[in-house]
Amino acid sequence: MFLAAKQEIKDALESALSDLSYTTEDLGIERPPEDVDAIIASSVAYRLAGKAQAPPPKVAEEIAGEINTAELQYIDEVTATGAYVNFEPSSEYHIRTLEAGQNEKYGRRPDKQKSVVVEHTSANPTGPVHVGRARNPIIGDAIARLLDYAGFDVETHYYVNDAGRQIATFTWAYETFDETELPEPERDKQDYDLVRYYRKGNTFLEEGPEEEVEVAEEEIAAIMQGLEEGKPETYDRVSEVVDTVLSGMQDTLNRLPAEFDEFIKETKFIRDGSTKEIVTQLKKTEYAQETEDGAWELKLDDFGFEKNLVFVRSDGTSLYTTRDIAHHSWKFDNFDRAVTVLGEDHKLQAKQLSTALELLGEDTDALDSIHYSWVNLPDGTMSTREGKGIDLDDLLDEAVARAKEEVEKRLGDRVREETLTEEKIEQIAHQVGIGAVRYDIVAKQPTKQITFKWEQALDFEAQSAPYVQYAHARCSGIIEEAAAAGIARPSPEKITTTELETDAEVDLVETVARFPAVVEDAADELQPHVVATYTRTIADKFNGFYRECPVLDAEGKTQQQRLAIVVATKHAIQNALDILGIDAPNIM
């Protein structure tokens, strides 16, 4: 209802301003001041004060007096407070919110008839996913879910680097070293098994005998050249390593969960000839130049870049960015919009990629790059190449173990009840533990570097995932108790015009009403952390309602109305958490 009310308010403001001979290009729609009982405020009086030759509060009073609330469905009163025009909701606004909130799909927006591809994670398949990169799949998955809720047709892709030097090195190392030369794997998992070869290979290239290293470098170069030439036997050799490691990485990502519709390999754009075509097109641009050693680059100083973009090496092989240009041209051919989630260390590459695409005539307005900073643990940074740091599997194991300990402590004697089996407790611990990791990461703006701390992530009393999940569990408990007592849930058409009785009810219903608008706004800006902020707000409002407004002990219409509020709140919390990729337990 918030979106419908917002449109009604815009129309009313435009009409009033026109009648008062004011321009309507900027209505100043915003959140009202904290101490004002309104759902929307307008600061337009600031803009109009000069023309009106009157102070903003006087202009605000004039505008408020011009709006006839009898013609409005969702607004009961329009007032002026200082320079703001405030719009207070009607009983109809609350009723329609509760009606809409009874739908389990509450918050989902109509189909926009537009397709979006969200590419995220895309970590090189050189070993287990480590904590430092955990932000990518969590943010990427949340963005994909958010766009899906906003009405877009979404596909999630993982772009697999299977053509670069790292993978050629990995392939050489896997074929060169024997199992007996390697340490025991840290886990019984494919990626942990094979990463030992990669680490061994890098150590050899850095510390091995010079003559043997030169031979190894020639073999690695031959693998890269074979891929560039599209040789099937080279592709098969590389695929054995890439697919095995990727399988293990998928198992880890599925724990978050972060699932993908398709894994797109770099070599696809070599084998289908599109990379070669991109090279041909780039050479024809006025910014292309051949270097002294026979490489090709784009001279981009006219676009503000100090560094040129090399797109062909001196040996004739393409680079990652060259293949990624072909990849993005393919995206534009198949989707209306492309979103890519990248680490902050890829900012220059992303800007150069976008510039190269523009030179090729692509509409880069359809391309969005979301850059994130790293996730650190208090102990420091991580490096997969050197075999240091903490893997995401370790973090998730620890999260579930800590959550189980906390859940068992809170459940107390209920642990021994037959209804709460060990399997059920494990399930709750998994929901809470994984949810805590995801929430703590996605709740911050991507550009801010964060340090993951257990005491914050698993705090049931603070504004964390368990805090929000607990609010959902309370909603579920009330609904289940009502059903057990034979109290029927109100159907949408039977929700009455009874006025809400308390401020706690009003605050909660008006927070529920904002959820569809939160989805729209967060999707427009590709900011899932906005949804996380909303979940904290609605959990706060529900806890206030829970303390002040008995549901099952109420009577008649009050009982039905409050039960409807609980159901609507449950759906809003559940779906907001779903956008963030977090389970909503019914018991905690």
Side-chain angles (χ1 to χ4, degrees):
M1 284 305 105
F2 182 85
L3 289 170
K6 187 176 182 180
Q7 186 58 54
E8 185 176 71
I9 289 167
K10 285 182 176 180
D11 294 342
L13 271 172
E14 287 179 350
S15 177
L17 293 177
S18 294
D19 291 345
L20 293 169
S21 299
Y22 292 131
T23 58
T24 61
E25 69 271 12
D26 180 9
L27 300 178
I29 298 292
E30 56 187 76
R31 294 287 298 275
E34 288 293 328
D35 57 344
V36 175
D37 184 19
I39 56 171
I40 285 177
S42 169
S43 60
V44 69
Y46 283 113
R47 177 175 65 81
L48 300 175
K51 180 179 180 180
Q53 295 185 332
K58 185 70 174 177
V59 178
E61 287 181 7
E62 181 185 26
I63 296 170
E66 187 66 24
I67 297 173
N68 182 6
T69 56
E71 298 176 355
L72 305 180
Q73 181 179 7
Y74 301 121
I75 301 303
D76 183 56
E77 190 174 358
V78 182
T79 62
T81 305
Y84 288 92
V85 180
N86 304 302
F87 296 83
E88 299 178 13
S90 65
S91 175
E92 185 75 5
Y93 178 81
H94 297 145
I95 293 163
R96 297 294 168 244
T97 295
L98 291 180
E99 285 182 352
Q102 304 310 295
N103 189 328
E104 290 185 356
K105 295 183 178 180
Y106 180 63
R108 284 195 172 274
R109 310 304 302 139
D111 190 348
K112 288 183 169 52
Q113 300 292 315
K114 287 189 176 181
S115 61
V116 183
V117 57
V118 178
E119 178 202 328
H120 67 84
T121 307
S122 301
N124 290 340
T126 53
V129 183
H130 64 83
V131 172
R133 296 283 183 179
R135 211 167 186 178
N136 198 317
I138 290 173
I139 292 174
D141 185 67
I143 287 175
R145 289 166 176 267
L146 175 59
L147 290 171
D148 177 59
Y149 264 80
F152 292 94
D153 179 14
V154 182
E155 277 195 24
T156 52
H157 288 185
Y158 187 122
Y159 187 50
V160 183
N161 177 355
D162 66 334
R165 175 182 163 79
Q166 284 182 310
I167 299 304
T169 299
F170 203 158
T171 303
W172 160 79
Y174 179 66
E175 296 174 345
T176 299
F177 298 105
D178 190 84
E179 168 81 22
T180 58
E181 302 177 71
L182 308 173
E184 287 294 314
E186 296 167 9
R187 283 177 184 256
D188 184 19
K189 229 165 137 272
Q190 303 98 313
D191 45 344
Y192 289 84
D193 182 22
L194 263 67
V195 74
R196 298 175 300 158
Y197 294 92
Y198 182 62
R199 291 169 179 165
K200 176 74 173 178
N202 277 296
T203 300
F204 180 86
L205 292 175
E206 291 174 357
E207 303 174 1
E210 185 175 345
E211 291 183 2
E212 293 183 31
V213 169
E214 287 180 4
V215 173
E217 291 288 1
E218 290 175 3
E219 293 177 5
I220 292 168
I223 293 172
M224 294 177 66
Q225 191 66 50
L227 289 172
E228 193 73 26
E229 295 171 2
K231 291 182 178 180
E233 61 273 19
T234 307
Y235 177 79
D236 291 342
R237 290 165 62 194
V238 169
S239 293
E240 181 181 356
V241 172
V242 168
D243 293 347
T244 302
V245 175
L246 197 58
S247 176
M249 295 172 73
Q250 278 181 260
D251 289 342
T252 300
L253 294 170
N254 288 343
R255 297 180 65 187
L256 286 172
E259 299 175 347
F260 299 88
D261 294 307
E262 195 167 353
F263 288 79
I264 307 294
K265 291 185 174 181
E266 265 189 283
T267 49
K268 165 185 171 65
F269 305 103
I270 296 174
R271 291 157 67 87
D272 67 6
S274 57
T275 298
K276 190 173 291 186
E277 177 59 29
I278 288 294
V279 168
T280 300
Q281 292 180 37
L282 289 175
K283 285 181 177 180
K284 292 179 180 178
T285 67
E286 61 180 298
Y287 299 96
Q289 62 182 20
E290 188 173 7
T291 64
E292 292 181 359
D293 63 354
W296 280 85
E297 63 183 11
L298 291 177
K299 193 171 184 297
L300 299 178
D301 50 337
D302 285 355
F303 299 91
F305 295 102
E306 295 181 4
K307 186 178 180 181
N308 293 340
L309 173 62
V310 178
F311 61 92
V312 178
R313 296 186 183 91
S314 57
D315 63 1
T317 58
S318 60
L319 287 86
Y320 177 91
T321 303
T322 323
R323 300 185 287 272
D324 206 19
I325 294 170
H327 174 210
H328 277 76
S329 292
W330 173 82
K331 286 183 183 181
F332 292 144
D333 288 342
N334 290 277
F335 299 92
D336 297 318
R337 184 180 177 191
V339 178
T340 310
V341 182
L342 299 163
E344 61 184 1
D345 55 332
H346 288 271
K347 284 184 178 179
L348 174 61
Q349 176 188 316
K351 289 178 180 178
Q352 288 183 325
L353 170 74
S354 180
T355 302
L357 287 165
E358 287 181 17
L359 293 177
L360 296 176
E362 297 286 3
D363 179 14
T364 55
D365 288 341
L367 175 62
D368 293 288
S369 294
I370 307 299
H371 295 277
Y372 64 90
S373 188
W374 312 124
V375 175
N376 292 320
L377 295 177
D379 293 336
T381 57
M382 294 137 279
S383 169
T384 298
R385 181 175 175 272
E386 297 175 4
K388 297 178 181 178
I390 297 176
D391 296 315
L392 183 56
D393 282 312
D394 297 327
L395 181 70
L396 298 182
D397 286 349
E398 183 75 7
V400 174
R402 287 179 181 246
K404 183 180 180 182
E405 182 179 339
E406 185 66 27
V407 167
E408 286 181 334
K409 183 170 67 177
R410 288 178 166 271
L411 289 174
D413 291 339
R414 284 189 289 167
V415 171
R416 292 187 288 275
E417 295 179 10
E418 292 183 4
T419 54
L420 278 172
T421 62
E422 182 66 23
E423 182 180 357
K424 183 63 177 177
I425 293 170
E426 290 281 358
Q427 179 188 359
I428 296 171
H430 181 272
Q431 292 173 319
V432 173
I434 303 298
V437 172
R438 284 191 69 122
Y439 192 93
D440 198 66
I441 289 174
V442 79
K444 278 89 170 178
Q445 293 186 29
T447 53
K448 293 184 178 180
Q449 191 170 101
I450 61 174
T451 298
F452 184 85
K453 297 180 181 178
W454 291 113
E455 59 271 21
Q456 294 176 0
L458 285 169
D459 191 339
F460 279 64
E461 307 302 329
Q463 294 181 330
S464 59
Y467 177 76
V468 178
Q469 289 173 314
Y470 199 63
H472 178 270
R474 277 179 164 169
C475 290
S476 299
I478 293 170
I479 294 167
E480 288 179 10
E481 286 183 43
I487 302 172
R489 283 168 57 170
S491 57
E493 63 273 10
K494 291 185 178 179
I495 293 174
T496 68
T497 57
T498 304
E499 293 287 342
L500 299 176
E501 298 176 2
T502 67
D503 289 343
E505 290 171 285
V506 171
D507 287 347
L508 181 54
V509 170
E510 291 179 4
T511 302
V512 169
R514 286 200 301 110
F515 180 45
V518 169
V519 173
E520 289 277 8
D521 292 344
D524 285 346
E525 301 298 324
L526 298 174
Q527 293 181 339
H529 69 271
V530 171
V531 179
T533 300
Y534 173 79
T535 64
R536 294 196 293 266
T537 301
I538 194 171
D540 281 342
K541 299 299 183 184
F542 173 75
N543 287 336
F545 167 87
Y546 183 82
R547 289 190 299 268
E548 298 178 27
C549 304
V551 178
L552 303 183
D553 292 339
E555 297 179 353
K557 289 182 178 180
T558 299
Q559 183 189 69
Q560 285 288 286
Q561 184 167 273
R562 288 181 177 175
L563 186 56
I565 293 173
V566 173
V567 172
T569 303
K570 178 184 185 298
H571 291 157
I573 294 177
Q574 179 177 303
N575 292 338
L577 287 175
D578 187 47
I579 289 171
L580 302 177
I582 297 170
D583 287 337
N586 292 325
I587 302 173
M588 281 183 68

